[in-house]
């Protein structure tokens, strides 16, 4: 049992006996495994909590009397918000290292492809499609990244905030990668229009369902609902559908070998973000005290955001018929996305 400020009644040195209190490691939390990982050492309890160690209550409070972090920022409940550990164990240094490696890879791919004259060999219809629809997609990624950036401020623990913020960073990096990629290959393709993607995002009916889904998530005030809606619902039904089910499938058949490696990092990003989200939601869905109420709440989120994601996916269907070469059908890709979300929800005891 971890000693807390409330159980001891004093914050003085030596007042409590806790894990490693007799060691120079100064570890005062229970690690998930036999030994604390570096991720746990630099993340767990970095954000204080009056229920654990801040005997004097929050150091900073807002004018309404509420502390710096409150549990009411989400409708979900937990018997122990501090139990969550991100499976990817990502913290500041490892995050920057991974992002740097991805950026180096993406820039190397683009530079070498342009040096070889690859953009000039793109099928002309495909080149136009990249301008219009990959250019539109970057706005979806930016919107989701912005939503997660806002959401991370309200997470009750540093572990939840870290997982949400790294998720945001990956989304914003991809939006930037797409912007720079299109600008660079545009210098090699006659008649390129950098503004076409924005025009389609705002005006093309194909994208309005996606806009509605993204903007609904952005407008949600519950930070956990934002995190849930993006990774549990939107990504498998719309994100993977477009990135993996269209761009990475159809590019090579239309003489484009550059776009897949630029986009591929996003799929690896999502696998990490999904694992983090599933672990957090699973803990809450199986909480000994609040599990039933949480599952009911989560099912409501699935229904709400699932309907919007379905509308978004169906709206994107015409894009699959636009390239000259069509190696995969929308129907097949859509079936795969339905199977994917079914497996995800099944792990959490939820249903479509």
């Amino acid at each position: 049992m971890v000693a807390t400020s409330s159980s001891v009644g004093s914050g003085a040195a030596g007042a409590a006996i806790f894990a490693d209190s007799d060691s120079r490691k100064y570890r005062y939390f229970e690690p998930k495994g036999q030994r604390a990982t570096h991720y746990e050492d630099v993340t767990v309890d970095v954000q204080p909590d009056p229920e654990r160690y801040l005997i004097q209550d929050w150091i900073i409070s807002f004018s309404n009397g509420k502390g710096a972090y409150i549990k009411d920022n989400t409708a979900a409940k937990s018997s122990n918000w501090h139990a969550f550990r991100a499976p990817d164990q990502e913290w500041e240094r490892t995050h920057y290292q991974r992002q740097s490696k991805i950026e180096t890879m993406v820039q190397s791919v683009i530079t070498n492809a342009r040096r070889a004259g690859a953009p000039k060999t793109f099928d002309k219809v495909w080149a136009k499609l990249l301008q219009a629809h990959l250019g539109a997609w970057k706005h979806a990624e930016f919107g989701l990244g912005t939503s997660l950036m806002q959401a991370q401020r309200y997470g009750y623990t540093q572990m939840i905030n870290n997982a949400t913020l790294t998720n945001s960073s990956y989304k914003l990096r991809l939006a930037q990668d797409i912007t720079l990629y299109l600008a660079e290959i545009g210098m090699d393709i006659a008649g390129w229009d950098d503004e076409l993607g924005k025009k389609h995002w705002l005006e093309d009916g194909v994208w309005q369902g996606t806009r509605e889904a993204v903007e609904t998530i952005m407008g949600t005030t519950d930070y956990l609902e934002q995190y849930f809606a993006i990774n549990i619902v939107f990504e498998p039904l719309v994100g993977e559908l477009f990135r993996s089910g269209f761009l990475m499938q159809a590019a090579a058949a239309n003489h484009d070998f550059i776009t897949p490696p630029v986009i591929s990092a996003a799929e690896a990003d999502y696998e990490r973000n999904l694992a983090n989200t599933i672990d957090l939601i699973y803990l809450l869905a199986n909480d000994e005290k609040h599990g039933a109420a949480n599952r009911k709440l989560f099912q409501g989120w699935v229904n709400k955001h699932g309907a919007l994601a379905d509308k978004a996916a169906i709206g994107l269907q015409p894009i699959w018929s636009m390239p000259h070469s069509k190696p995969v059908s929308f129907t097949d890709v859509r079936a795969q996305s339905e199977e994917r979300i079914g497996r995800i929800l099944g792990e959490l005891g939820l249903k479509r």
Side-chain angles (χ1 to χ4, degrees):
M1 176 70 178
V2 178
T4 66
S5 57
S6 57
S7 64
V8 175
S10 171
I17 302 299
F18 48 82
D20 276 353
S21 62
D22 59 347
S23 168
R24 297 188 66 180
K25 292 180 180 179
Y26 304 111
R27 176 167 56 83
Y28 46 87
F29 61 87
E30 294 294 338
K32 186 174 182 179
Q34 187 173 2
R35 295 181 180 179
T37 64
H38 198 164
Y39 156 77
E40 288 179 305
D41 282 336
V42 299
T43 308
V44 178
D45 284 323
V46 169
Q47 178 179 303
D49 181 350
E51 294 183 4
R52 290 164 74 87
Y53 311 111
L54 274 182
I55 192 171
Q56 73 276 37
D57 205 0
W58 292 107
I59 298 171
I60 298 174
S61 294
F62 293 100
S63 58
N64 60 7
K66 293 184 176 180
Y69 295 90
I70 59 174
K71 296 176 181 178
D72 293 342
N73 285 325
T74 177
K77 305 294 182 184
S78 175
S79 299
N80 179 14
W81 284 107
H82 296 266
F84 171 67
R85 303 288 189 270
D88 68 352
Q89 298 201 14
E90 190 148 296
W91 59 286
E92 185 177 3
R93 186 177 71 186
T94 57
H95 181 68
Y96 286 138
Q97 288 172 337
R98 185 167 185 271
Q99 290 281 56
S100 177
K101 289 177 182 178
I102 291 172
E103 286 302 291
T104 300
M105 179 275 292
V106 168
Q107 193 55 53
S108 177
V109 166
I110 296 172
T111 299
N112 291 333
R114 288 189 63 207
R115 187 181 295 121
K120 297 177 182 178
T121 68
F122 287 0
D123 177 89
K124 287 183 171 53
V125 172
W126 180 257
K128 195 76 172 177
L129 193 151
L130 290 178
Q131 293 176 70
H133 299 294
L134 179 54
W137 180 254
K138 73 181 180 184
H139 295 283
E141 296 286 354
F142 180 79
L144 297 175
T146 302
S147 178
L148 289 164
M149 182 187 296
Q150 184 269 343
Q152 68 83 30
R153 165 61 184 84
Y154 298 98
Y156 194 70
T157 73
Q158 188 72 13
M159 294 78 76
I160 296 173
N161 289 351
N162 261 25
T164 312
L165 186 57
T166 54
N167 197 160
S168 169
S169 177
Y170 287 132
K171 288 292 183 189
L172 296 177
R173 188 214 72 236
L174 178 58
Q176 173 183 275
D177 285 346
I178 294 171
T179 301
L180 296 176
Y181 168 57
L182 293 178
E184 291 200 47
I185 64 173
M187 292 188 283
D188 300 331
I189 301 174
W192 189 268
D193 182 358
D194 283 325
E195 296 295 317
L196 195 58
K198 180 179 179 181
K199 181 179 178 65
H200 277 263
W201 175 252
L202 294 175
E203 301 175 12
D204 189 346
V206 164
W207 286 101
Q208 299 320 295
T210 304
R211 272 190 66 194
E212 183 182 2
V214 170
E215 291 171 9
T216 298
I217 293 171
M218 294 177 71
T220 299
T221 57
D222 187 314
Y223 76 89
L224 195 62
E225 181 180 350
Q226 291 175 299
Y227 191 49
F228 180 101
I230 290 171
N231 291 314
I232 302 297
V233 182
F234 183 88
E235 278 289 286
L237 289 178
V238 187
E240 282 189 319
L241 181 83
F242 184 71
R243 291 189 308 263
S244 294
F246 178 69
L247 292 171
M248 295 182 68
Q249 296 274 3
N254 289 277
H255 312 295
D256 173 9
F257 296 93
I258 317 175
T259 301
V262 172
I263 298 299
S264 63
E267 303 313 277
D269 294 341
Y270 176 49
E271 290 299 335
R272 298 165 71 91
N273 296 327
L274 177 62
N276 290 343
T277 311
I278 286 177
D279 263 37
L280 175 57
I281 299 302
Y282 183 87
L283 278 173
L284 298 173
N286 292 277
D287 187 276
E288 57 184 13
K289 183 177 180 181
H290 306 287
N294 285 339
R295 286 192 298 273
K296 183 178 179 180
L297 175 69
F298 298 155
Q299 189 61 59
W301 290 351
V302 171
N303 298 341
K304 172 185 173 182
H305 294 283
L308 291 170
D310 286 338
K311 181 180 176 181
I314 293 169
L316 295 176
Q317 182 172 2
I319 298 177
W320 270 253
S321 64
M322 292 178 183
H324 277 144
S325 180
K326 306 172 182 61
V328 63
S329 73
F330 175 83
T331 302
D332 291 341
V333 174
R334 175 79 168 145
Q336 291 173 6
S337 72
E338 286 290 346
E339 182 181 351
R340 168 78 148 159
I341 193 172
R343 291 198 302 269
I344 292 171
L345 295 176
E347 290 187 50
L348 301 172
L350 302 174
K351 59 184 180 181
R352 204 56 173 104

